[in-house]
Amino acid sequence: MFVWLASYPKSGNTMVRSLLAAYFFSNDGIFNFDLIKNIKQFPNISLFENLGIDINNDDEIIKNYIKVQESFCDKNSVQFLKTHSYLFNFYNKYSFTNLNNSIGTIYIVRDPRNVVTSYARFANISEEDAAMRMIDEIYIGGDLNNKNIADRTKTWVGTWAQNFNSWKSFTYQERYLLIKYEDLIKNTEKIFLKILEFVHKLDNSTFKINNEKFYNVIKTVSFKNMKDLEKKIGFSESKIDEKTGKKIPFFNLGPDNDWKKNLDSNLRKKIEISFKKEMVELGYL
């Protein structure tokens, strides 16, 4: 059964995924980039190709989301899946997932004024373009000629607000945990403990923490450590700058990304107006 690690892009999903991967898929809790591969991203275009689904037809892909999930869902254990998709129901008949495959979601949210600057650097676009994507864009990816799986895969992210609001439907089954990136950075130990407790609650299993492993995870899954690792060995999820041919650092400013210093005032106002309801709800305004 799937526990979704859901978020809008550049909101802290990779850090949550790294924490969980280091704890559940290592013997000692010491993080490395290979561990993160144990938590796959969905959708992934190769999964649809492997089942013979026509990847040139968006409707065929969307209506087979659940079929693809069923093809690798283990009903007897917890599986983590990362997604940047919103929890859609296209045409009131094509759902992103269902409760036969999914037992809950951990939703990671970040102040959209900081998302816009981080997203711009990651995608190598202007901050104005990044802001407009957050306000208006429905999907990312979908370039079937691209060699990168993430760029080949069309992901229906929705707008920033749509993404955030859609996943709250899991609250009605008490299967929803909201994590604010800012809290995760400031108090990683407390928030990660909260995440582990939530996972064990979903799994109906006894929660007993492995203290040595837990503190190794906290020590090695830090923004600084992951940034240093990327400098040493690279990170497969970073993008290529088409102009220079060089990789754009995935781990750039992290907690030092401060919209008060970095974001144009007109863009700030545009974001605050567009997402006022959600930002007030989250305490960002």
Side-chain angles (χ1 to χ4, degrees):
M1 297 287 282
F2 302 131
V3 176
W4 294 96
L5 310 180
S7 72
Y8 194 83
K10 303 307 293 179
S11 298
N13 201 314
T14 298
M15 184 171 183
V16 172
R17 189 166 46 132
S18 299
L19 289 164
L20 288 167
Y23 189 83
F24 285 104
F25 301 110
S26 75
N27 293 322
D28 53 14
I30 296 175
F31 175 77
N32 63 71
F33 283 142
D34 283 338
L35 292 171
I36 209 172
K37 296 174 184 176
N38 288 287
I39 300 179
K40 307 299 185 185
Q41 182 158 325
F42 188 90
N44 180 320
I45 198 67
S46 62
L47 295 172
F48 295 83
E49 286 179 301
N50 292 341
L51 289 182
I53 294 164
D54 182 3
I55 62 171
N56 293 293
N57 186 323
D58 285 343
D59 278 3
E60 282 298 306
I61 292 175
I62 293 166
K63 78 178 186 181
N64 281 291
Y65 265 45
I66 291 175
K67 178 181 177 180
V68 170
Q69 290 170 27
E70 288 173 343
S71 73
F72 66 96
C73 180
D74 184 345
K75 303 291 186 182
N76 298 313
S77 67
V78 170
Q79 296 169 266
F80 299 107
L81 277 182
K82 170 189 175 179
T83 191
H84 290 314
S85 176
Y86 78 104
L87 190 61
F88 60 68
N89 188 350
F90 279 156
Y91 317 127
N92 293 318
K93 60 180 180 178
Y94 299 150
S95 297
F96 177 82
T97 190
N98 60 22
L99 294 180
N100 291 326
N101 294 294
S102 304
I103 56 172
T105 185
I106 298 167
Y107 191 87
I108 308 102
V109 70
R110 185 183 190 182
D111 189 323
R113 293 167 296 192
N114 283 330
V115 171
V116 68
T117 50
S118 183
Y119 191 13
R121 292 187 185 95
F122 171 70
N124 200 26
I125 57 177
S126 70
E127 291 179 0
E128 185 172 356
D129 284 345
M132 293 315 299
R133 288 187 184 188
M134 292 172 65
I135 293 168
D136 295 326
E137 191 170 57
I138 301 301
Y139 69 85
I140 57 175
D143 178 6
L144 293 177
N145 295 317
N146 201 298
K147 294 180 181 179
N148 186 300
I149 287 291
D151 290 325
R152 291 184 71 222
T153 302
K154 182 176 284 187
T155 302
W156 300 89
V157 295
T159 67
W160 181 86
Q162 191 174 25
N163 196 294
F164 166 65
N165 287 317
S166 68
W167 285 95
K168 289 190 283 187
S169 63
F170 271 91
T171 59
Y172 301 115
Q173 294 87 26
E174 297 184 351
R175 301 179 182 191
Y176 176 86
L177 178 65
L178 177 66
I179 298 297
K180 292 173 73 173
Y181 173 79
E182 295 80 10
D183 295 338
L184 182 65
I185 290 295
K186 288 179 183 176
N187 200 335
T188 306
E189 184 177 329
K190 177 182 177 182
I191 298 302
F192 185 44
L193 184 61
K194 187 176 182 180
I195 290 171
L196 291 178
E197 289 173 342
F198 177 71
V199 171
H200 282 275
K201 176 186 173 184
L202 292 177
D203 192 34
N204 291 317
S205 59
T206 303
F207 179 55
K208 185 177 181 181
I209 196 165
N210 181 323
N211 284 307
E212 182 179 358
K213 180 183 279 191
F214 179 84
Y215 286 108
N216 279 340
V217 171
I218 298 300
K219 184 168 59 178
T220 59
V221 181
S222 67
F223 183 84
K224 182 182 182 304
N225 188 52
M226 291 194 289
K227 186 172 184 175
D228 289 343
L229 271 178
E230 183 181 20
K231 285 181 179 178
K232 286 181 182 178
I233 62 174
F235 183 45
S236 61
E237 296 180 22
S238 62
K239 289 184 175 290
I240 301 291
D241 186 325
E242 294 180 0
K243 293 180 181 179
T244 65
K246 296 180 179 180
K247 282 202 167 188
I248 302 167
F250 187 93
F251 302 100
N252 188 21
L253 293 177
D256 292 329
N257 181 20
D258 186 353
W259 62 265
K260 299 182 188 72
K261 300 175 183 177
N262 302 326
L263 188 61
D264 175 80
S265 61
N266 290 326
L267 285 182
R268 174 185 61 79
K269 290 175 185 176
K270 186 177 289 187
I271 290 168
E272 290 174 351
I273 291 169
S274 299
F275 305 135
K276 180 178 179 181
K277 175 180 171 291
E278 290 78 17
M279 290 180 73
V280 168
E281 176 185 339
L282 289 162
Y284 292 137
L285 284 178

